[in-house]
Amino acid sequence: MKVASLEPGEIDRIECEVGEIMAAVPPRVWDGESLPVPIDSIAREVYGLKVREVSHDQMREIVGDQATEGTMSGLLLTGIGEIWVNDWEARQPEWGSQRKRFTIGHELGHFAMHQSGPPAIYCRASDSSESAEDAPTPHPVPELEANTFSAAFLMPASLVRPEIGPEGVDGDQLKTLMLRFDSSAKAMRRRVETLRLIA
Ligand SMILES: [Zn+2]
């Protein structure tokens, strides 16, 4: 099923799930307030998943015919316990770190919410990036769920909410938040909107 956005109740459910996961992260891995959220360490220490930067061609080789069109940002390989991120994207000086982090969060979302049956591969196409969250284009529900999970993980409600005024946030505040959370402007703006929606 493809939809343009998730229902608020569904977002709430994911929010709760992420909140529980974050609360269970051992303090030696994350103290619950330092930013940006150390998603690499959490993937490794909490989920036992190794994050690797690999070329797009390597991803294509694994995914083969089930590949979606366009570039792939990431893959979750549950069988070997690895998250692969697109090395070219990760190296971009302006947005590489933000993209890589969101991709890891997206794959962790699949790991936490969508695993069933035998080891599987979950990919993240570039067009299901954080920016697609607010696009009117329909997406498969699991992709939207994984994006919602990633946003909640990287921009925890408990840390973002105190920064939001009655009118939301202005351009300067948004910029400050982006830097603190190491998130893209689109993802950060979307996160603020979501938190106002489910307040
Ligand atoms: Zn995905």
Side-chain angles (χ1 to χ4, degrees):
M1 185 177 55
K2 290 191 170 194
V3 296
S5 61
L6 298 176
E7 298 290 328
E10 172 69 355
I11 296 174
D12 252 339
R13 188 186 64 74
I14 295 171
E15 204 70 49
C16 282
E17 183 165 348
V18 172
E20 283 170 17
I21 292 169
M22 300 304 254
V25 172
R28 71 181 164 79
V29 180
W30 188 50
D31 60 9
E33 53 184 44
S34 303
L35 293 171
V37 173
I39 194 152
D40 276 61
S41 310
I42 295 175
R44 188 178 58 242
E45 304 286 336
V46 176
Y47 291 95
L49 292 169
K50 186 178 166 191
V51 176
R52 287 178 58 200
E53 292 182 14
V54 307
S55 73
H56 192 250
D57 286 349
Q58 277 174 280
M59 291 195 202
R60 281 270 165 203
E61 255 172 55
I62 293 280
V63 179
D65 289 343
Q66 36 161 317
T68 43
E69 286 166 32
T71 10
M72 260 181 295
S73 290
L75 280 182
L76 166 67
L77 300 144
T78 63
I80 54 171
E82 291 189 356
I83 288 173
W84 289 8
V85 296
N86 184 312
D87 62 353
W88 180 84
E89 288 185 353
R91 278 200 306 264
Q92 298 308 303
E94 295 291 322
W95 48 267
S97 165
Q98 302 166 355
R99 174 65 63 85
K100 178 181 171 179
R101 292 167 55 75
F102 202 90
T103 299
I104 296 170
H106 178 103
E107 302 302 349
L108 282 183
H110 284 312
F111 191 85
M113 297 186 291
H114 301 140
Q115 281 197 86
S116 59
I121 296 165
Y122 300 88
C123 52
R124 176 177 180 231
S126 273
D127 73 348
S128 73
S129 68
E130 65 268 40
S131 58
E133 244 194 357
D134 51 0
T137 332
H139 284 278
V141 170
E143 294 312 302
L144 290 176
E145 289 177 337
N147 282 346
T148 302
F149 183 99
S150 186
F153 208 98
L154 295 170
M155 297 166 276
S158 61
L159 301 178
V160 178
R161 236 187 248 287
E163 309 294 331
I164 306 175
E167 306 297 322
V169 297
D170 65 25
D172 286 345
Q173 288 170 306
L174 190 76
K175 188 133 202 235
T176 307
L177 291 177
M178 278 172 61
L179 294 172
R180 276 181 63 202
F181 290 87
D182 198 8
S183 290
S184 72
K186 262 184 178 155
M188 198 71 236
R189 194 179 301 117
R190 178 69 183 172
R191 184 68 179 138
V192 169
E193 282 168 16
T194 302
L195 287 174
R196 295 185 76 197
L197 182 76
I198 61 171

